[in-house]
């Protein structure tokens, strides 16, 4: 699969996804499309790549005006940064988002500032988000269902990664759009990497989110990073990866006593990530995730 390619999810011809080319990297950012009575996009990607999402809509035989739902798993800009651009091109679409995230969609100024702080030099891959008109925002919470026709998006709150994160279960496909609750999946080597960005990463909350996914018990996990995969043992693997990751950062902090040295050490050792995403993206990803764990450890010490 290459940047811009559109593929179906297994045998489900009305569920597809596009590689948006996020961070100019293949197999890192996906946006999903459900072709139903009320066609839906799940997530929007960053605004930089929103035109690839529109191209995917057209490739499956729809027009932007057909889209009625833009369902955001959370408002981190790698998932929601394109929403404001897409609503301008999709005149019949509303943006569905958790109430904690809704204000950031209508007024993204603070979100933009926080993203610049969190991602550092990677901000050059982003577009400053456009606000979504308040009249086109629909707030959703755990227990809600977004009816699309034959498909539905059942909403489950999953706040460990971010307080505004939800996951969507589509019973018709036996699939969950897992946001970042199941980690980052690299389909080539089949590896699972942690995602622990500042400022809201909560290790215990993330383990609870994994339990939420276990309770849903889907056949397929639709990863935003990246692509659909059979669930298999991936949730158990991610629970172990996450525990080991937090423990390793804590141990290295105790050893080195300097947070910048901790970050530099983990970046230097990020060979597996570089093999998948290349040096620039991998180094930035690991550094950000270390900072998120360090912030969580600081909160535990308060």
């Amino acid at each position: 699969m290459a940047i811009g390619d559109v593929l179906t999810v297994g045998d489900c011809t009305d569920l597809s996804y596009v590689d948006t080319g996020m961070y100019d990297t293949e197999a890192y950012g996906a946006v999903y499309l459900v072709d139903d009575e009320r066609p839906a996009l799940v997530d929007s990607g960053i605004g930089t790549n929103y035109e690839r999402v529109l191209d995917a809509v057209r490739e499956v035989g729809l027009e932007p005006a057909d889209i009625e739902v833009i369902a955001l798993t959370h408002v981190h800009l790698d998932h929601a940064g394109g929403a404001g651009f897409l609503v301008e091109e999709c005149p019949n679409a509303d943006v569905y988002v958790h109430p904690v995230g809704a204000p950031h969609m209508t007024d993204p100024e603070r979100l933009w500032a926080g993203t610049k702080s969190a991602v550092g030099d990677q901000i050059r891959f982003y577009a400053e988000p456009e606000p979504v008109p308040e009249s086109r925002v629909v707030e959703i919470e755990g227990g809600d269902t977004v009816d699309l026709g034959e498909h539905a998006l059942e909403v489950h709150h999953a706040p460990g990664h971010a307080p505004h994160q939800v996951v969507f279960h589509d019973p018709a496909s036996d699939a969950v759009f897992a946001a970042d609750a199941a980690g980052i999946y690299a389909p080539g080597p089949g590896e699972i990497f942690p995602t622990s960005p500042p400022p809201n990463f909560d290790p215990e909350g993330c383990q609870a989110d994994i339990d939420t996914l276990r309770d849903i018990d889907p056949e397929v996990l639709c990863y935003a990073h990246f692509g659909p995969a059979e669930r298999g043992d991936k949730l158990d693997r991610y629970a172990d990866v996450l525990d080991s990751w937090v423990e390793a950062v804590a141990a290295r902090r105790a050893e080195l006593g300097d947070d910048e040295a901790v970050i530099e050490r983990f970046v230097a050792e990020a060979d597996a990530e570089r093999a998948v995403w290349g040096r620039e993206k991998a180094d930035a990803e690991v550094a950000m995730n270390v900072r998120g764990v360090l912030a969580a450890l600081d909160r535990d010490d308060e």
Side-chain angles (χ1 to χ4, degrees), residues 100-261:
V100 174
H104 295 295
M105 289 291 93
T106 57
D107 182 5
E109 184 175 350
R110 285 180 55 204
L111 182 62
W112 179 237
T115 302
K116 288 190 286 186
S117 175
V119 305
D121 291 343
Q122 286 189 101
I123 199 66
R124 69 185 183 85
F125 293 107
Y126 288 74
E128 184 170 356
E130 291 289 329
V132 176
E134 189 171 349
S135 63
R136 298 180 66 182
V137 171
V138 179
E139 295 185 358
I140 50 172
E141 300 187 74
D144 289 343
T145 297
V146 183
D147 186 9
L148 305 178
E150 293 185 7
H151 295 264
L153 302 177
E154 296 178 350
V155 182
H156 298 260
H157 195 204
H161 178 78
H164 39 76
Q165 180 177 255
V166 300
V167 298
F168 297 111
H169 178 214
D170 173 14
S173 303
D174 199 12
V176 166
F177 301 97
D180 287 332
I184 295 177
Y185 177 64
E191 291 196 60
I192 298 174
F193 296 104
T195 175
S196 55
N200 298 125
F201 168 67
D202 174 3
E204 291 184 2
C206 286
Q207 292 290 346
D209 293 345
I210 295 170
D211 287 338
T212 295
L213 294 172
R214 287 182 175 125
D215 289 342
I216 298 170
D217 193 28
E219 180 179 349
V220 175
L221 296 169
C222 291
Y223 289 88
H225 315 291
F226 172 84
E230 292 187 4
R231 185 191 74 242
D233 65 350
K234 292 179 181 62
L235 297 178
D236 292 339
R237 286 169 57 195
Y238 186 50
D240 292 341
V241 164
L242 203 56
D243 267 346
S244 298
W245 172 240
V246 173
E247 290 174 2
V249 173
R252 194 60 59 84
R253 173 187 257 187
E255 172 194 348
L256 298 177
D258 178 82
D259 285 355
E260 287 305 313

Side-chain angles (χ1 to χ4, degrees), residues 16 24 28 38 58 131 143-144 146 157 167 176 190 288 297 302:
S16 56
D24 291 344
Y28 186 83
R38 300 179 66 220
R58 297 184 181 100
D144 289 343
V146 183
H157 195 204
V167 298
V176 166
M288 179 180 66
L297 294 172
E302 291 177 354

Side-chain angles (χ1 to χ4, degrees), residues 42-43 71-75 79 96 98 164-168 177-180 224:
V42 179
D43 282 341
L72 301 179
T73 59
H74 57 304
V75 302
H79 295 255
Y96 291 69
H98 190 273
H164 39 76
Q165 180 177 255
V166 300
V167 298
F168 297 111
F177 301 97
D180 287 332

